């Protein structure tokens, strides 16, 4: 099964994708994570996109489509979870074409709906494990032992350079201008499922499961 998690910054896409990986053996493809990896490994592409990401703008379609195409070619028996991709109509068309070339299709698009007012609190309280990628929050999902990742025991906990209110406003603007048209696009294709992303993390996971069982 191949699915898209669609939603604004802080909607909980990464958090829910990790649960689906654990529970269903799916492969998470987060273009944000791939771009951050390219930045930290200092590749030429990583250096080129760093400032764009910190400003909260979208990097070019060409770059992210290239990253996704490379990962798709590696295959996934449990299916792919697209997290933060596609973000433009051109990316959505490219994904459809890439899957069709592989004889595959998109099974469901989950729109995670969250009030804008909740997003600032989610983003400014977020931190992640630099080693295993587990996602935490100062208030809603702290680590059990302060400064230590519950999942892998690492103390390499990090905050993202774009997790400040100014970048978040730009990310939201990009979402409404360029990504939200995908809601109508996938509705028209017949595979959109809307989930309330404001509930607690397990409740959101339950709603996603129900949507996937009906897909
Ligand atoms: P990306 O990394 O994709 O960031 P984003 O879309 O802004 O989304 P986030 O990762 O911030 O939020 P999320 O929905 O994953 O939420 P999370 O689960 O972490 O992209 C970053 C940048 O890369 C972009 O701005 C752009 O520059 C570039 N980029 C990436 N993809 C691109 C593309 N396709 N095209 C062009 N450019 C691209 O949760 C957030 C917080 O809330 C956490 O602290 C979590 O613990 C907490 N939380 C989660 N769920 C709940 C809940 N139900 N209740 C309470 N707290 C919760
Ligand atoms: Mg994310």
């Amino acid at each position: 099964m191949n699915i898209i998690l669609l939603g604004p910054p802080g909607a909980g896409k990464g958090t829910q994708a990790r649960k689906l990986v654990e529970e269903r053996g799916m492969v998470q493809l987060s273009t944000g994570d791939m771009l951050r990896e390219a930045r930290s490994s200092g590749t030429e592409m990583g250096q080129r996109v760093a400032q764009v990401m910190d400003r909260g703008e979208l990097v070019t379609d060409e770059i992210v489509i290239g990253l996704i195409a490379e990962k798709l070619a590696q295959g996934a028996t449990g299916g792919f979870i697209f997290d933060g991709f596609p973000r433009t109509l051109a990316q959505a068309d490219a994904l459809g074409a890439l899957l069709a070339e592989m004889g595959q299709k998109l099974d469901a698009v989950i729109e995670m709906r969250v009030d804008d007012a909740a997003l600032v609190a989610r983003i400014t309280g977020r931190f992640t494990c630099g080693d295993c990628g587990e996602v935490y929050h100062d208030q809603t999902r702290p680590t059990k032992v302060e400064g230590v990742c519950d999942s892998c025991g690492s103390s390499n906990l990090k905050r993202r350079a774009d997790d400040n209110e100014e970048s978040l406003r730009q990310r939201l603007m990009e979402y409404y201008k360029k990504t939200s048209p995908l809601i109508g696009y996938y509705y028209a294709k017949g595979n959109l499922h809307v989930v309330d992303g404001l509930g607690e993390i397990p409740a959101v996971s339950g709603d996603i499961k129900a949507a996937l069982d009906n897909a």
Side-chain angles (χ1 to χ4, degrees):
M1 176 170 235
N2 297 310
I3 68 165
I4 293 175
L5 296 181
L6 181 65
K13 304 181 294 291
T15 300
Q16 297 297 334
R18 289 183 65 82
K19 291 188 168 285
L20 291 166
V21 168
E22 267 169 41
E23 287 158 17
R24 298 185 178 232
M26 299 175 82
V27 170
Q28 176 188 9
L29 295 185
S30 157
T31 38
D33 288 349
M34 292 175 207
L35 292 166
R36 279 184 287 279
E37 205 178 295
R39 283 178 70 157
S40 59
S41 56
T43 62
E44 194 215 314
M45 185 268 280
Q47 287 170 1
R48 256 192 296 146
V49 300
Q51 287 167 352
V52 177
M53 291 176 78
D54 289 351
R55 282 198 301 269
E57 293 166 8
L58 293 188
V59 311
T60 63
D61 288 338
E62 193 193 352
I63 288 178
V64 289
I65 293 167
L67 288 170
I68 287 287
E70 236 173 72
K71 297 283 180 183
L72 286 181
Q74 294 168 11
T77 42
F80 291 105
I81 307 160
F82 299 96
D83 160 7
F85 179 91
R87 266 172 143 101
T88 62
L89 291 166
Q91 291 178 24
D93 284 339
L95 176 61
L98 284 166
L99 288 172
E101 270 171 33
M102 296 162 62
Q104 291 198 36
K105 65 179 176 57
L106 203 54
D107 298 283
V109 177
I110 307 285
E111 183 204 344
M112 302 181 64
R113 212 169 268 182
V114 179
D115 285 350
D116 293 340
L119 299 176
V120 177
R122 285 206 184 171
I123 290 292
T124 51
R126 170 171 53 193
F127 58 99
T128 51
C129 175
D131 289 351
C132 75
E134 195 60 49
V135 185
Y136 296 98
H137 190 277
D138 293 325
Q139 278 85 40
T140 59
R141 196 170 185 268
T143 52
K144 291 189 181 107
V145 177
E146 202 185 328
V148 181
C149 174
D150 296 353
S151 247
C152 74
S154 163
S155 50
N156 181 21
L157 300 173
K158 294 178 169 173
R159 292 192 192 258
R160 272 169 47 178
D162 59 346
D163 274 356
N164 56 72
E165 210 169 323
E166 196 190 336
S167 297
L168 173 63
R169 294 212 177 272
Q170 185 59 39
R171 281 153 69 194
L172 263 182
M173 187 64 83
E174 295 281 73
Y175 179 78
Y176 285 115
K177 283 196 334 208
K178 299 175 185 163
T179 309
S180 64
L182 298 185
I183 297 168
Y185 175 99
Y186 286 117
Y187 176 78
K189 281 186 179 279
N191 41 14
L192 186 75
H193 301 258
V194 182
V195 160
D196 176 10
L198 266 181
E200 294 196 353
I201 293 170
V204 178
S205 304
D207 289 352
I208 292 177
K209 183 178 181 303
L212 296 183
D213 290 345
N214 284 325

